[in-house]
Amino acid sequence: MDLQEPALPKRRTLRRVAIVAGGLAVIGAAIALLRTPEPVESGPRPVPPPQTTVKEFAADGIVLPAPGNPPAQPASLSVVPGPQRLLVAWGPERTGKPEPDRAAGYEIRWGRGTTLTNVRLLSQPVAQLDALENGTSYQVEVRTVDAFGRRSLPAVVNAEPKAPDNDSAWSFVDRFSSRVVPEPQRWRLGGTSDCGRATRGEGNDGKRMVISGQCGTEPLVLRPRAPFKLRDSATDGELGRVVVETDHPGQAGELTIDLVPGPADLVGGPFASSQEDPTLPPGSIRVRVTGEATAFAEIRAAPGMARSGVTADLSPMAPAEIGITVRWEVVVRTDGVRLVRDGKVVAASDAVVAWREATVLVGFIGGPTGLHAAVDLIAFLGAPTAAPVLVVPPVLDTGRSVVEAGSGLVTPSGGARVQGTTGGQLRVTLVPTNRAPTEDQFTVEVGGREFPARPAVAGQTPARGVRYPIVADVPADALVLRADSDTLPIRVRGPIRRGEGAARVVSASVELAAPPGAVSAASGSGTDVPLALTRIALARPSARFLDAAGQVIGQGGVVPRGRLVLEVTADGPGGQRLGGELAGLAGIEVRLDDQRIAGIPTVADGPGTAGVWRLAVDTTGMAAGEHVIEIKAIGVDPRAAFAVAYAPFRV
């Protein structure tokens, strides 16, 4: 017994230990559970799809507008056939008839026969249908779209594109229909940086050339290699003309046409407000056309040109139209220069040119969203002319700025040389950044040697911020390539004053002379495509308050308590100018201080385009102080970014 009694406490102790151990095990398991992280999905969470619908909604105190009567259909369609295109119009500018009642925009459909496979939304009562086949019948239907997306009955027309019946006796012409567009034998594209390109178009632009880029306010300049030559004798006072057919700058930006009496690639400088432009080389003429909502055209001349004193009767400029080809003609006469837009004189200068031959520079400057300009034709009327035989030029490496004169030579003097040429002319454009040096102080280094440079136009002197084109003639044995056998290094040398920056080198090209009997080399792949278009844009929203008498309350102004009218506008032309095409509108949402108070769907019969809506708003219960209305336009296409506007006010 004595031996067994002590055994009981041992068993209790073991039991306690077991319990404690078990407790530790349970607690440990709990700790393990608490410390084990929840499973995490690998990779980023998916982005929710963009909103593409709007539901009708009205908060307390908000009264939504009612649709009212459906829109009227276009009264009739006017069609002007052109080469591989149809111009369809139904508004007052082109037909003399008013736009349909309750029109916020339009929907146009077209196709061969009765198969209407193409559709486009528009903010303007005119459309150009491109990339069509001459001699083929197309059916076109146009419907009016109101602010709620309701469609009218269609106006219908059938027409065939066709080439012009009586074409002009051009001395030079390009319709950009060859395999390679533009043909290197005929054209050079220049600019201040590698920010754009000239190519065959795609889709609706597939039968013409497109100039595309993201160059800000800097131009892309297309130069024909053939010079523009005037006739020896005038016909009805005309010596010759340059013709450009393009839809630029209907969307936005600028179009310039320069006539320069010398081998220049780029000219001009800061905007000059007078008709005499001191940034132009002597004897030069510049035509300048601006787009945006209000079109504007002018002719500028270099200082010192003779003046005839003759004036011309001018027609008013028609409003700029998006995507519509315009024929611009620069007419050089014995008594000055005229600018003709679609057969009407819209600008004139009495400056008389003294030259008989000039370089033509066609410049394209884009708008806020970039550049996308379609070109159908560039041609000359005048004395016979032709582009020189093409020797394919190498890539040029110029450096970014002028090198100080007298410093060591840096270009290679030995190695492979450019083949198939008897020499070349280097064309370089400089922009002085400080006090300008004199014109005869620049040289061009190439092949380990220096050659004198001269102004491309005799008499031009360097000026701060102004493009200054120079040229240098170089023999064939100096055209020494870099080790890659593709690049020709050149450097421009000139004075650099202490404490001042060197002149910038903004562009360069080389025209190589071909030996006798040579023919132009094949060049270009024909596979280049335009830079991507900016995505289609929605109508641009805005808002304002009206008091009980219908008077506008200024933005940020004090609104009285009671019922007011909130007028919401979606500007169709503003959206179409941004993207070139108008995106379909799903609806409008309105928020007050970040709280949704209204939703207006605009897809009754299909996507909306634009519109004006008036909402009744009760401000009785609003707190005193500042408030903000947010207007959000939402599209049916997820590719179109929503557009937002704000309207602050005080109660």
Side-chain angles (χ1 to χ4, degrees):
M1 290 292 296
D2 293 337
L3 294 175
Q4 294 176 352
E5 287 291 328
L8 292 173
K10 284 184 180 180
R11 286 195 293 270
R12 293 189 188 100
T13 303
L14 290 172
R15 190 179 295 118
R16 291 191 192 101
V17 171
I19 292 171
V20 171
L24 288 173
V26 172
I27 294 172
I31 292 173
L33 287 172
L34 290 172
R35 290 182 177 175
T36 302
E38 295 182 2
V40 178
E41 296 180 4
S42 60
R45 293 184 177 180
V47 177
Q51 181 180 354
T52 55
T53 59
V54 174
K55 293 183 178 180
E56 185 173 87
F57 173 77
D60 292 341
I62 304 296
V63 179
L64 299 180
N69 294 325
Q73 72 182 115
S76 62
L77 302 181
S78 166
V79 180
V80 179
Q84 300 170 327
R85 66 176 182 255
L86 295 173
L87 180 66
V88 186
W90 55 95
E93 290 294 335
R94 293 183 177 269
T95 68
K97 298 180 180 179
E99 291 193 55
D101 291 339
R102 294 171 295 282
Y106 303 94
E107 179 186 82
I108 185 168
R109 294 177 179 269
W110 72 98
R112 300 188 183 196
T114 58
T115 306
L116 309 185
T117 56
N118 305 283
V119 61
R120 187 187 303 168
L121 296 177
L122 302 167
S123 64
Q124 57 189 13
V126 61
Q128 183 169 298
L129 313 179
D130 293 291
L132 307 180
E133 296 295 335
N134 288 341
T136 298
S137 178
Y138 290 84
Q139 180 169 309
V140 182
E141 295 183 356
V142 179
R143 292 172 172 83
T144 308
V145 181
D146 72 4
F148 297 89
R150 296 182 301 175
R151 266 70 172 161
S152 71
L153 294 174
V156 183
V157 69
N158 289 274
E160 296 181 4
K162 64 176 184 177
D165 295 328
N166 298 310
D167 209 357
S168 300
W170 306 111
S171 56
F172 171 89
V173 62
D174 198 337
R175 292 186 175 84
F176 307 105
S177 57
S178 57
R179 183 185 67 84
V180 178
V181 175
E183 293 180 274
Q185 295 92 330
R186 313 188 86 189
W187 300 97
R188 287 283 186 272
L189 182 70
T192 59
S193 64
D194 186 20
C195 59
R197 62 183 64 163
T199 65
R200 182 190 302 281
E202 294 183 304
N204 290 333
D205 293 324
K207 296 183 182 293
R208 49 190 183 166
M209 179 175 65
V210 168
I211 310 291
S212 57
Q214 292 289 341
C215 305
T217 58
E218 291 295 316
L220 284 175
V221 177
L222 194 66
R223 170 174 66 85
R225 295 185 67 235
F228 170 51
K229 297 182 179 181
L230 301 179
R231 301 187 189 96
D232 292 331
S233 58
T235 302
D236 295 330
E238 180 181 329
L239 297 168
R241 66 177 63 194
V242 175
V243 181
V244 178
E245 292 186 0
T246 177
D247 65 1
H248 191 70
Q251 184 174 335
E254 291 187 13
L255 171 71
T256 59
I257 305 173
D258 298 329
L259 308 181
V260 183
D265 285 340
L266 295 172
V267 298
F271 179 79
S273 58
S274 66
Q275 297 300 306
E276 281 201 347
D277 190 340
T279 71
L280 295 176
S284 298
I285 295 291
R286 164 163 286 185
V287 167
R288 176 173 172 264
V289 180
T290 64
E292 304 295 343
T294 304
F296 173 76
E298 63 178 349
I299 299 176
R300 295 180 176 181
M305 296 181 66
R307 299 281 177 167
S308 68
V310 175
T311 60
D313 294 330
L314 303 182
S315 298
M317 278 280 287
E321 296 172 321
I322 305 165
I324 307 301
T325 293
V326 172
R327 185 182 180 113
W328 301 99
E329 300 178 76
V330 183
V331 183
V332 180
R333 299 174 48 85
T334 56
D335 58 4
V337 182
R338 307 284 187 269
L339 176 63
V340 179
R341 181 190 191 274
D342 287 339
K344 298 180 179 179
V345 179
V346 294
S349 170
D350 65 347
V352 178
V353 303
W355 43 262
R356 310 304 298 177
E357 180 178 311
T359 298
V360 175
L361 304 176
V362 185
F364 302 84
I365 299 175
T369 58
L371 170 66
H372 188 94
V375 184
D376 295 273
L377 175 142
I378 298 178
F380 304 160
L381 282 173
T385 187
V389 172
L390 174 69
V391 178
V392 179
V395 176
L396 298 184
D397 172 14
T398 63
R400 295 185 177 181
S401 58
V402 170
V403 178
E404 187 171 9
S407 59
L409 302 179
V410 296
T411 57
S413 58
R417 287 168 169 76
V418 178
Q419 299 298 305
T421 180
T422 60
Q425 184 181 79
L426 291 168
R427 302 181 175 189
V428 183
T429 306
L430 307 178
V431 175
T433 55
N434 291 289
R435 287 184 300 157
T438 58
E439 62 185 73
D440 59 352
Q441 290 183 305
F442 292 106
T443 62
V444 173
E445 179 198 336
V446 59
R449 297 152 63 183
E450 283 189 80
F451 300 91
R454 63 186 184 277
V457 180
Q460 183 177 12
T461 56
R464 182 177 181 178
V466 175
R467 300 180 188 107
Y468 177 59
I470 61 173
V471 296
D473 298 318
V474 180
D477 61 358
L479 299 173
V480 180
L481 298 170
R482 192 176 284 159
D484 62 9
S485 298
D486 292 324
T487 305
L488 179 66
I490 67 172
R491 293 294 182 268
V492 180
R493 295 179 168 274
I496 299 178
R497 298 185 180 93
R498 181 173 297 179
E500 295 186 358
R504 293 185 295 120
V505 179
V506 297
S507 77
S509 66
V510 58
E511 286 287 347
L512 299 174
V519 295
S520 291
S523 180
S525 65
T527 60
D528 294 336
V529 297
L531 295 175
L533 276 167
T534 53
R535 57 182 174 178
I536 54 178
L538 291 164
R540 314 319 286 173
S542 62
R544 62 180 185 175
F545 277 103
L546 308 177
D547 62 20
Q551 299 299 311
V552 176
I553 300 173
Q555 189 174 30
V558 177
V559 301
R561 294 191 181 278
R563 284 202 173 272
L564 296 175
V565 173
L566 173 64
E567 184 179 84
V568 176
T569 300
D571 174 24
Q576 195 171 345
R577 289 188 193 285
L578 282 178
E581 294 186 16
L582 192 61
L585 185 66
I588 299 290
E589 287 190 342
V590 183
R591 291 178 178 271
L592 171 62
D593 298 334
D594 208 30
Q595 297 295 316
R596 188 163 70 106
I597 61 171
I600 306 173
T602 60
V603 290
D605 296 329
T609 55
V612 178
W613 305 267
R614 288 188 170 184
L615 295 74
V617 179
D618 189 354
T619 62
T620 303
M622 291 187 187
E626 296 183 350
H627 300 272
V628 176
I629 287 285
E630 176 191 290
I631 308 298
K632 184 177 182 180
I634 297 162
V636 298
D637 189 334
R639 297 174 301 164
F642 62 82
V644 179
Y646 299 92
F649 67 97
R650 289 181 294 145
V651 174

